[in-house]
Amino acid sequence: MAELPTEISIVTLNCWGLKYISKLRRERLAEIGRQLAIADPQPQIVALQECFCHEDYLTIRRETRYILPYGKFYFAGAFGGGLAILSKWPIEESTMFRYPLNGRPTAFWRGDWYVGKGVACAKIRYGPGPKHIIEVFNTHTHAPYESGPKDSYICHRTSQSWEISKLLRGAAERGHLVLGLGDFNMLPLSLEHQIVTSHAPVQDVWRVLHPDSSVGPAYHHAEKARGRAVPTAEFNILENCATSDGPFNTWRWLPKQQKRLGIGKPVVTVDPSTPDLRGKRLDYIFAGAGDVAANGGGWVVKRAAVGMMMRHPELGCSLSDHFAVEATLKFVPLKQQCNDNNNPFGNRHQTIKPTTTLLNDADNRLIQTGTCLQEPSSQGSSIAEADANPDTDDNLTYTKQLLAFHSPPPRLPPSGYDQILSLIHKYVARERSQLKWRAYHFFSWLGVSIGCLIAVWFVPRNFVAFILMLVSTLGLVGGTLDGLMSLLFFRSELRALKEYEFEILTAKALAEDKTPVVQQAGTGEDVDAGKTW
């Protein structure tokens, strides 16, 4: 194998490649492949979401075959999960993990359940050593569709964040470099975001370089509470990583504005100072440091950027309804910065005690609280580049990043677990109600169908008999579908919710230094501090 890399460039992009639905799909995804092939810095790992058509994946593979010779298209659900991973290095192992909670088949117009959303996992070997492995987890979580109290899928998304955090943590415990990539459909510092960062030893690469970046669009209550001015379109790209719903993306324009785009039409530009009320970050790169002790160093965040902002050269439209997130990780060799007895990387269970010659008290507080670890960079002048951090050899800053991975991670507070449990209980009540009423629907229509069939024998006119037969048939088909939903889907989902609740109760007990949830032998009943649930 070639020389070990000192930097790894990563790209994640929601391609908006829904067959029959996404406009100009073939042209856009082909151009995405061409832009990846000429990108600078050259990407070495690429995660794609909403790449549903295998032909589009093959088109991108053809365009990137010289720089990304390895790849995997993941098959899931009835229509495919839309996930793909491209790599410069060999993919040694892959799997598709399907989320236990993932929408409802009755919401067929939304499609989340039918595409089998989950996590596309890949083990990528970049060197000969046992720890020279990158574990990539690419996901596209359930879309919100509603907001606030009306968001009926928030329980699903917190469950999905919980599931991927377990995958990330397991990979990190194996000593591998961990990357969590994708369209997470969540806002920074939301409950879903906190679940990932508190239950897996990873950091949100954008917040490493921009700890003061926005926590939502300007109209969102959490962002309003910060008391910041409405950002400009340029600021949202350079500082807030607004990959979705911003003015620079032509697919978010009004239809009459989109009509100004097309072959042979003049380029339509956007004023960078345009106020951006709706731009938000839904796409993320979460990264670990790898096994610092085994590798003699660790991976830190060198650069983060919003990418793939260019327009299609002929059509004039954006290449997707999302922009990409790009990041460059840099390998920093471990120096003898602490004496052997206090080396934080030699013992993962040791409290970090950096020497006073390295870090002052303020720096140490930043590390211990997990506050990341560089001052926000000043705005760049190039929207197309949108670099979040200029290239730097600030070894002290990189050392702080490594130390942050070995300081106690920010724990989800007990109130956070209570919030998750409240969501679970609310959703369980909904699903139990649905199970009951759909069972009633089945038996009701079964009775109506039998009554219609009996009535056919006694009606004097043929057209009345036909109507009765039609009502009987359609009603019985609908009732049977609801009966199957009641018997199979809702019971399965309630069991998945039970497992989710058990795991959250166990994590909460551990966070509070209490005895974890146990199951009484031979009873099948779960007990938390003597309370049956």
Side-chain angles (χ1 to χ4, degrees), residues 212-234:
D212 197 38
S213 58
S214 68
V215 295
Y219 65 81
H220 192 265
H221 63 87
E223 184 64 18
K224 282 184 176 180
R226 295 184 351 133
R228 307 298 173 88
V230 174
T232 64
E234 181 180 33

Side-chain angles (χ1 to χ4, degrees), residues 29 120 334 495:
L29 269 72
L334 182 61
R495 281 165 171 76

Side-chain angles (χ1 to χ4, degrees), residues 28-47:
R28 291 186 298 98
L29 269 72
E31 185 62 25
I32 286 173
R34 286 190 284 271
Q35 293 297 330
L36 287 172
I38 62 174
D40 183 22
Q42 193 175 90
Q44 292 154 313
I45 293 176
V46 175

Side-chain angles (χ1 to χ4, degrees), residues 13 24-25 39 75 91 98 135 193 213-214 255 313 382 426 450:
L13 173 66
L24 304 173
R25 191 197 82 242
F75 297 90
I91 298 176
R98 188 165 179 174
E135 291 207 42
H193 187 277
S213 58
S214 68
S382 172
K426 180 179 178 181
I450 294 173

